[in-house]
Amino acid sequence: MAAENAAEHGQTAGEYIVHHLTHLQSSKPAGVADFSVFNFDSLFFSIVLGVVGCWLLWLAARKATSGVPGRFQAAVEILIEVVDQQAKGIVHNAKSRKFVAPLALTVFVWIVMLNAMDLLPVDLLPALWAKLFGAAGGDPHHAYLRVVPTADLSVAMGLSVSVLLICLYYNIKIKGVGGWVHELFTAPFGNHWALYPFNFAMQMIEFIAKTVSHGMRLFGNMYAGELIFLLIALMGGAWTLSATGIFLALGHIVAGTAWAIFHILIIILQAFVFMMLTLVYVGQAHDHH
């Protein structure tokens, strides 16, 4: 399908990839960071999958029985138990865990579902959207759609900034405004007026570094996975009735299958890492220095 679309639209391999990596946006960004631009595709899939994830967890809770659980209920119960054990080992405040543990569970399920969009055929939803866009009177050649929200830097960083805000909330809640401000200026080097500027600078660097690395790790892995799927699609699109063409077609099938299976691990692992770092950062907000 990739080659047919590219041939029909007169696209080169580079243009095909650029087209697939372009968002459905409210307007073209004026620069590298333009906060007035909204990526409608990322917002749509994030909201829809978030609602579906919450609905699935609600459905499991609603159908929970005290007898022998079904497969779905058993899977959800195992997941909840794993997340709860991790939360108990990291966040020692029982009252905070009543919010943090469900938050971690929601984050894990949501990010797994967002990442799993990468397993759909790369041309499936964009091709359907192009047909709908054309039927509505638009130019199907300029119908852009990206379906993996976590491969969008704004979504990944939005998630990490949300975690930062929660950490700031618990810093103030647990330590008080005065206690937290005191910690900002006295840790990690010590309580001396000459060290206050260095302590404060280190604290700000720590908050920024944790937030940026938290979001960039998720974005980088999912963006790379999306790009590899596009390259594999181009292999299949380049097949012809020749030895090289047939080899590329077979390589497309083998590489696509192998990468999809391996990518399942990446999808779950990245969601788990993001969840664990969320618990770690919130746990650190409870610690006194």
Side-chain angles (χ1 to χ4, degrees):
M1 184 182 292
E4 293 175 0
N5 289 343
E8 180 184 352
H9 300 163
Q11 292 177 321
T12 64
E15 290 170 342
Y16 170 78
I17 292 176
V18 170
H19 186 276
H20 272 276
L21 295 180
T22 303
H23 286 282
L24 173 63
Q25 297 178 316
S26 57
S27 61
K28 288 186 177 181
V32 177
D34 188 345
F35 295 103
S36 66
V37 176
F38 294 91
N39 294 339
F40 291 131
D41 42 14
S42 295
L43 287 171
F44 174 78
F45 289 113
S46 296
I47 294 170
V48 169
L49 292 175
V51 171
V52 171
C54 291
W55 176 76
L56 289 174
L57 293 175
W58 172 83
L59 188 65
R62 183 171 177 267
K63 293 187 175 182
T65 60
S66 57
V68 178
R71 293 181 180 179
F72 177 62
Q73 180 184 336
V76 173
E77 287 180 354
I78 292 173
L79 178 59
I80 291 174
E81 184 178 352
V82 169
V83 174
D84 189 57
Q85 289 298 322
Q86 296 297 332
K88 287 181 179 178
I90 298 174
V91 182
H92 304 296
N93 187 308
K95 186 176 180 180
S96 296
R97 283 201 305 271
K98 292 181 180 180
F99 171 78
V100 175
L103 170 69
L105 176 65
T106 304
V107 165
F108 178 78
V109 172
W110 193 19
I111 293 181
V112 165
M113 297 185 71
L114 296 179
N115 292 350
M117 293 296 289
D118 221 356
L119 297 177
L120 294 175
V122 294
D123 280 308
L124 178 59
L125 294 183
L128 292 175
W129 170 243
K131 291 184 180 297
L132 290 174
F133 194 75
D139 182 3
H141 296 176
H142 294 87
Y144 302 110
L145 186 72
R146 290 185 68 181
V147 301
V148 187
T150 43
D152 180 0
L153 181 59
S154 61
V155 171
M157 290 305 299
L159 290 169
S160 66
V161 169
S162 299
V163 173
L164 171 65
L165 294 176
I166 293 172
C167 291
L168 296 180
Y169 166 77
Y170 275 110
N171 268 300
I172 296 173
K173 180 180 179 180
I174 300 299
K175 304 165 188 176
V177 176
W180 183 48
V181 171
H182 180 266
E183 181 179 280
L184 288 177
F185 287 92
T186 59
F189 299 124
N191 187 4
H192 190 280
W193 65 268
L195 298 175
Y196 289 168
F198 302 101
N199 287 328
F200 183 76
M202 289 298 297
Q203 290 279 353
M204 294 300 103
I205 291 172
E206 181 182 355
F207 280 121
I208 294 172
K210 289 194 298 186
T211 302
V212 172
S213 63
H214 200 191
M216 288 294 293
R217 181 182 292 104
L218 176 63
F219 161 74
N221 281 278
M222 299 314 301
Y223 183 86
E226 183 183 31
L227 189 58
I228 290 175
F229 274 120
L230 291 174
L231 295 175
I232 293 174
L234 285 172
M235 288 179 60
W239 80 277
T240 57
L241 292 178
S242 64
T244 303
I246 293 173
F247 175 78
L248 287 172
L250 293 175
H252 163 76
I253 297 172
V254 174
T257 303
W259 179 246
I261 294 172
F262 177 70
H263 201 62
I264 294 174
L265 174 62
I266 296 177
I267 286 170
I268 298 174
L269 180 62
Q270 289 305 313
F272 181 76
V273 169
F274 195 96
M275 179 198 75
M276 289 299 297
L277 287 175
T278 299
L279 289 173
V280 168
Y281 294 158
V282 173
Q284 289 177 346
H286 287 71
D287 296 335
H288 292 272
H289 296 282

